[in-house]
Amino acid sequence: MRVFVTGASGWIGSAVVPLLIGAGHQVVGLARSDASAATLASAGAEAVRGTLDDLDILRGTAAASDGVIHLAFKHDIAFSGDFRGAAEADRRGVQAIAEALAGTGRPFVIASGTPAEPGRVATEGDGHGLGPAQAAGPQGRAATSEWVLSLTSRGVRSSVVRLPRTVHGDGDPGFIAALVRIARDKGVSGYFGDGTNRWPAVHRLDAAHLFHLALEKAPAGSTLHAVADEGVPLRDIAEVIGRHLNVPVAPVSPEAAAEHFAWLASILAADQPASNTLTRELMGWQPTQPGLIADLDKDHYFG
């Protein structure tokens, strides 16, 4: 297949692209810069210059492809406080791609996040039924995912791969790397409250494998969980960080969390375990890479 990948040079995309090429697919990646285009070329992919705001480019490239994997998201503005703006840009981009795929039966796989279900482990059956009201709020990205699933009625083999809070590995630019930086700067490896809140996690290579599987064989309307660790307690994460940095490990009260963790505080406040049982059964997906604690215990997070 000729596969259009947005976010192709990003954290997960850079693992997805070689898998697709190794399986015999031709990859066309969206590149925001010359550097991204060069990275894609060196991986054996074709680059098309553009961003999520270039709707005609998204529409045209999708129309010329046999399938699309959508990984791009404006994380820079989302993490600076404008999550709504990032979600709206994402929705516009997704709609442009969907216009090109309608009626073709081609696969359209997008990334989203696992839901948080207070008091229990979230499953692939949770987090559905979001409507227009949620699309304009904090759940905007999830509402876009729901809309993508509805594209089955318009002749698109759409599926959603939900990612956990932590997608880890060598070079991780995400939440775990941020916790390491905070611990180094503060001189203490803190955990929120009593440290029992849990984070689901997956190694980026295992996540990439699930995107590849979804492209090739996910049934239309599938919701998949790229989850390897169902839920790792925050205290366990803090203890590994503290040991490697040789700093004390200590609780941070909810009242002091915003000052200590900054933008991460609200994310750490939620218990967010997630299951992958239905995904394993449906797709035959089996994570093979190290779990979060084993990976965190390696030197690459502390170099």
Side-chain angles (χ1 to χ4, degrees):
M1 287 193 286
R2 178 179 173 88
V3 185
F4 178 33
V5 181
T6 72
S9 61
W11 174 234
I12 298 173
S14 59
V16 170
V17 167
L19 277 180
L20 297 178
I21 292 174
H25 300 301
Q26 178 186 1
V27 176
V28 181
L30 186 67
R32 292 189 300 172
S33 66
D34 290 340
S36 293
T39 297
L40 289 172
S42 67
E46 177 186 339
V48 58
R49 287 296 303 273
T51 73
L52 282 180
D53 296 321
D54 296 314
L55 303 185
D56 287 341
I57 291 174
L58 297 179
R59 196 178 292 111
T61 309
S65 300
D66 300 308
V68 178
I69 297 178
H70 175 55
L71 301 172
F73 191 73
K74 292 187 174 184
H75 291 99
D76 50 349
I77 69 170
F79 290 155
S80 68
D82 187 14
F83 190 89
R84 178 172 179 170
E88 289 176 347
D90 183 58
R91 184 173 65 256
R92 290 190 297 269
V94 164
Q95 289 172 340
I97 293 170
E99 288 174 17
L101 297 180
T104 66
R106 296 171 187 168
F108 184 20
V109 186
I110 76 164
S112 189
T114 54
E117 295 294 328
R120 65 178 179 83
V121 177
T123 74
E124 294 89 338
D126 291 318
H128 296 293
L130 300 176
Q134 288 86 0
Q139 293 177 299
R141 196 177 188 189
T144 296
S145 298
E146 290 299 286
W147 184 80
V148 168
L149 292 177
S150 76
L151 294 173
T152 58
S153 65
R154 296 176 57 190
V156 180
R157 183 165 63 82
S158 57
S159 60
V160 172
V161 175
R162 290 174 172 171
L163 296 165
R165 298 301 171 267
T166 292
V167 180
H168 57 88
D170 192 358
D172 176 6
F175 294 153
I176 297 299
L179 287 175
V180 171
R181 288 194 299 270
I182 291 169
R184 185 177 279 121
D185 293 343
K186 300 284 186 179
V188 59
S189 181
Y191 53 87
F192 186 96
D194 63 5
T196 58
N197 283 353
R198 293 161 292 175
W199 265 9
V202 68
H203 194 283
R204 78 168 185 136
L205 297 181
D206 285 326
H209 180 49
L210 185 56
F211 278 103
H212 178 200
L213 287 176
L215 175 82
E216 292 189 340
K217 67 177 188 177
S222 299
T223 297
L224 308 173
H225 277 191
V227 173
D229 289 311
E230 184 174 281
V232 181
L234 295 178
R235 183 166 185 167
D236 292 356
I237 296 170
E239 287 176 347
V240 175
I241 294 172
R243 183 172 70 251
H244 277 267
L245 296 181
N246 195 27
V247 298
V249 178
V252 177
S253 70
E255 296 75 18
E259 179 181 354
H260 186 91
F261 295 113
W263 58 274
L264 265 175
S266 61
I267 300 170
L268 294 168
D271 186 39
Q272 308 175 58
S275 169
N276 65 14
T277 301
L278 297 179
T279 299
R280 288 179 188 245
E281 293 174 354
L282 181 65
M283 304 300 296
W285 177 67
Q286 181 66 42
T288 61
Q289 300 297 319
L292 175 58
I293 293 300
D295 194 31
L296 181 57
D297 224 358
K298 296 180 179 180
D299 291 337
H300 58 75
Y301 274 100
F302 306 97

